[in-house]
Amino acid sequence: MCTSSAGTITMGKVAVPEMKRYHYDESLATGCVAAGGTLGILIPPSVGFILYAILTEQSIGKLFIAGILPGLLLTALFILLIGISAWAKPDIAQLEQRQASNRS
């Protein structure tokens, strides 16, 4: 099993039930966890980078530095896409209901 699958499974066991408890749509909850799981291989320190560097005799530090920008870019794009999706279909995130319950 690769590290991104293990991270996705672990976060899925924790995050998806919490998101369901706050009435997030199941497709949004599972999509966020699945997309976020792919970031585990990019954002340092990544076991995948270490293994790749050892096998190909490359610099681990250079691979870590090379993974920072794509990892941050993907993170920003995921946040933007989730925000646009929640704005276009408010029922998938139910922001108004959650904010109203936090005020009382």
Side-chain angles (χ1 to χ4, degrees):
M1 181 183 297
C2 68
T3 56
S4 59
S5 296
T8 302
I9 292 168
T10 303
M11 288 307 298
K13 290 282 189 181
V14 175
V16 172
E18 281 298 306
M19 291 175 82
K20 285 184 181 178
R21 188 175 78 140
Y22 284 99
H23 308 291
Y24 283 85
D25 187 68
E26 188 172 347
S27 64
L28 177 65
T30 55
C32 288
V33 171
T38 62
L39 292 174
I41 196 78
L42 277 177
I43 298 177
S46 167
V47 176
F49 275 170
I50 294 171
L51 292 176
Y52 180 80
I54 292 170
L55 292 173
T56 61
E57 299 178 0
Q58 299 296 315
S59 167
I60 295 173
K62 287 182 180 178
L63 283 175
F64 278 2
I65 291 170
I68 290 173
L69 182 62
L72 292 176
L73 181 62
L74 273 175
T75 301
L77 290 174
F78 287 155
I79 291 170
L80 181 65
L81 182 62
I82 292 167
I84 290 170
S85 297
W87 177 76
K89 296 181 182 178
D91 58 317
I92 65 171
Q94 297 185 3
L95 295 175
E96 293 81 19
Q97 179 183 1
R98 194 174 74 237
Q99 289 172 352
S101 66
N102 287 340
R103 291 183 189 141
S104 52

